[in-house]
Amino acid sequence: MPVDRAGLALLRVLVEEGRPLRIGRIAERLGVRTPHVTRQVRELERQGLVERVSEPRDRRVQRITPTPLGADTLTRVDRAFQASLSESLDGVAAHRIDAAVEVLRRISSHRRTGGTGSGGGAGRDAGSDAGDDAAEGGP
């Protein structure tokens, strides 16, 4: 059964946390509104990927935890992604991968800060990397 990106992100938060979480805490970790998480949890429950557990001291308080199927699903998706990524990057020099990661990190940071990050350095760095490649004899 297919799990969308939002469902995988929710599963990842639960697995990484290692303990059941309240829906509000999940929403906070994902940076989304609580109703969105509530809908997503319902769908993942329907698929058997998460379950609700009650607090021992207060049965009204419910937390969400991945089921074994949910944790296994996340592991299988991660393995498939890693295999695909490895295949895609086969033969690409490590320094080129590192440069691409740095550019993507800067873009992500720039978006998170609303464009108020360090800004202008990315163009210079990209240009200097091109010069390094030429010095090494590669395009």
Side-chain angles (χ1 to χ4, degrees):
M1 72 187 58
V3 181
D4 63 10
R5 284 194 302 179
L8 290 171
L10 194 151
L11 279 172
R12 187 170 316 287
V13 164
L14 293 172
V15 169
E16 287 175 357
E17 188 67 31
R19 63 187 172 93
L21 295 176
R22 288 183 175 190
I23 286 180
R25 178 68 177 132
I26 297 168
E28 185 180 293
R29 289 272 313 266
L30 292 171
V32 298
R33 297 182 58 215
T34 302
H36 173 74
V37 174
T38 300
R39 284 189 300 274
Q40 193 66 51
V41 164
R42 273 193 224 122
E43 177 59 25
L44 293 174
E45 278 182 307
R46 190 183 68 71
Q47 294 176 339
L49 302 175
V50 300
E51 62 188 357
R52 294 174 193 262
V53 293
S54 297
E55 284 284 314
R57 290 176 289 191
D58 185 350
R59 293 255 183 235
R60 294 171 298 170
V61 175
Q62 302 228 319
R63 296 179 186 262
I64 311 303
T65 191
T67 63
L69 177 60
D72 181 61
T73 297
L74 183 63
T75 298
R76 285 186 288 121
V77 167
D78 284 348
R79 284 184 185 151
F81 174 76
Q82 288 298 322
S84 176
L85 185 61
S86 291
E87 184 180 323
S88 297
L89 296 176
D90 188 39
V92 178
H95 73 278
R96 289 181 179 263
I97 294 170
D98 291 343
V101 167
E102 178 59 24
V103 167
L104 293 172
R105 202 174 272 133
R106 287 177 183 223
I107 290 169
S108 177
S109 175
H110 186 74
R111 285 184 179 163
R112 274 195 310 271
T113 61
T116 61
S118 61
R124 283 192 307 276
D125 289 345
S128 66
D129 287 346
D132 291 344
D133 289 343
E136 294 174 17

